[in-house]
Amino acid sequence: IQQFAHYVKANLDPNLKAYIEYSNEVWNPIFIHHDYAIEKGLAAKLDEKKSPAGYKWYSRRSVEVFKIWEKAFGGDDQLVRVMGSWTSNQNMSSQVLAFEDAYKHTDAIAVGPYVSAHPKELRKAKNVDDVFSLMMDKNSKWGMTTILSYIQKQEKVATSFGVDLIAYEGGQHLVDWDTRTVDQHPNPLLYAANRDPRMGVLYDELVREWRRAGGKLFVAFSAPRIYSWY
């Protein structure tokens, strides 16, 4: 980490800033580092419960990493120190920022605001109109209305700790995890939805409401490969 920090300091345009984040989605159980953080947190007796122990260890380790970069850069003026959190879990955001006063060494809390629909519902779709109806369903836990409410709650947490709210990923999240071929239903409808002009309208609304809520940098997710059932 120290060597990487020194390399970036030596090669980064002085007019640019480096965004520093320890790992990716440590809260997400699909990743091995989720279990790693819990193991470390429990061993350090940071909490008796698994998830809080993992969150607290992630918070502590993040600050340790931030300090390594601060030393390499001779301060934090050229750094944006980022804590990652789960969009729908503002309590996690509070925990990682509050633990051992981590917010004093953090510039931003980052979430992944995705708009989608439950795969079970997407499988019922008969056309692209159905896909957009599902994404805009006010009662859907995955839809636009719910995601915007999460954003507003996360912004309140960020403001209370004096940090920015940014998006490390975000955008459409149309996926049926159980499919394994590009032509398996509902994948053709999901590809078509991404090419539909209404997807642009959806992105406009998402980013507009993100900014209205007080969100800053928004990184639209894009995988550097051809589209697939993922």
Side-chain angles (χ1 to χ4, degrees):
I1 293 171
Q2 186 181 65
Q3 290 178 337
F4 183 36
H6 281 294
Y7 178 86
V8 175
K9 173 61 177 176
N11 291 276
L12 182 65
D13 184 328
N15 295 313
L16 300 177
K17 290 189 176 186
Y19 283 72
I20 311 305
E21 182 179 0
Y22 175 64
S23 199
N24 171 64
E25 294 189 358
V26 177
W27 52 265
N28 194 334
I30 71 171
F31 296 125
I32 194 171
H33 41 273
H34 166 268
D35 297 335
Y36 177 82
I38 289 176
E39 178 184 333
K40 290 290 187 178
L42 292 174
K45 300 186 186 315
L46 301 184
D47 204 289
E48 294 181 352
K49 297 180 179 179
K50 287 185 177 181
S51 290
Y55 298 162
K56 291 176 181 178
W57 188 85
Y58 165 74
S59 176
R60 174 182 286 180
R61 184 60 180 145
S62 292
V63 172
E64 290 173 355
V65 170
F66 297 158
K67 289 181 178 179
I68 292 172
W69 282 74
E70 290 166 15
K71 185 175 181 180
F73 273 72
D76 59 16
D77 289 346
Q78 205 177 352
L79 302 175
V80 180
R81 300 160 297 178
V82 181
M83 288 272 195
S85 187
W86 191 355
T87 307
S88 62
N89 191 345
Q90 64 266 26
N91 290 330
M92 178 195 170
S93 300
S94 295
Q95 287 182 61
V96 298
L97 289 170
F99 185 64
E100 298 178 339
D101 289 340
Y103 71 93
K104 294 181 179 179
H105 300 276
T106 306
D107 301 300
I109 188 78
V111 297
Y114 281 109
V115 179
S116 187
H118 196 285
K120 289 183 179 180
E121 296 301 319
L122 291 174
R123 289 169 205 150
K124 299 176 184 178
K126 296 180 179 179
N127 50 53
V128 175
D129 291 345
D130 290 344
V131 174
F132 281 100
S133 293
L134 289 168
M135 296 178 78
M136 302 306 292
D137 182 355
K138 294 182 179 179
N139 297 315
S140 170
K141 292 194 301 183
W142 300 39
M144 178 70 80
T145 299
T146 299
I147 300 307
L148 294 182
S149 71
Y150 290 155
I151 290 171
Q152 293 163 3
K153 292 174 182 176
Q154 290 284 4
E155 171 57 25
K156 289 182 180 179
V157 173
T159 299
S160 70
F161 284 97
V163 300
D164 288 339
L165 176 65
I166 63 177
Y168 65 87
E169 293 176 9
Q172 64 82 24
H173 197 292
L174 294 176
V175 60
D176 181 351
W177 300 104
D178 290 339
T179 60
R180 288 294 179 270
T181 63
V182 293
D183 57 357
Q184 188 175 347
H185 181 77
N187 290 332
L189 294 182
L190 307 188
Y191 307 146
N194 270 287
R195 295 189 176 98
D196 192 286
R198 286 171 289 184
M199 187 60 77
V201 176
L202 184 146
Y203 266 76
D204 282 344
E205 179 177 353
L206 177 60
V207 176
R208 182 178 64 250
E209 294 303 319
W210 166 264
R211 289 174 175 165
R212 182 177 296 174
K216 300 296 177 60
L217 178 71
F218 189 113
V219 181
F221 180 81
S222 177
R225 56 184 178 269
I226 194 170
Y227 69 86
S228 73
W229 54 94
Y230 288 131

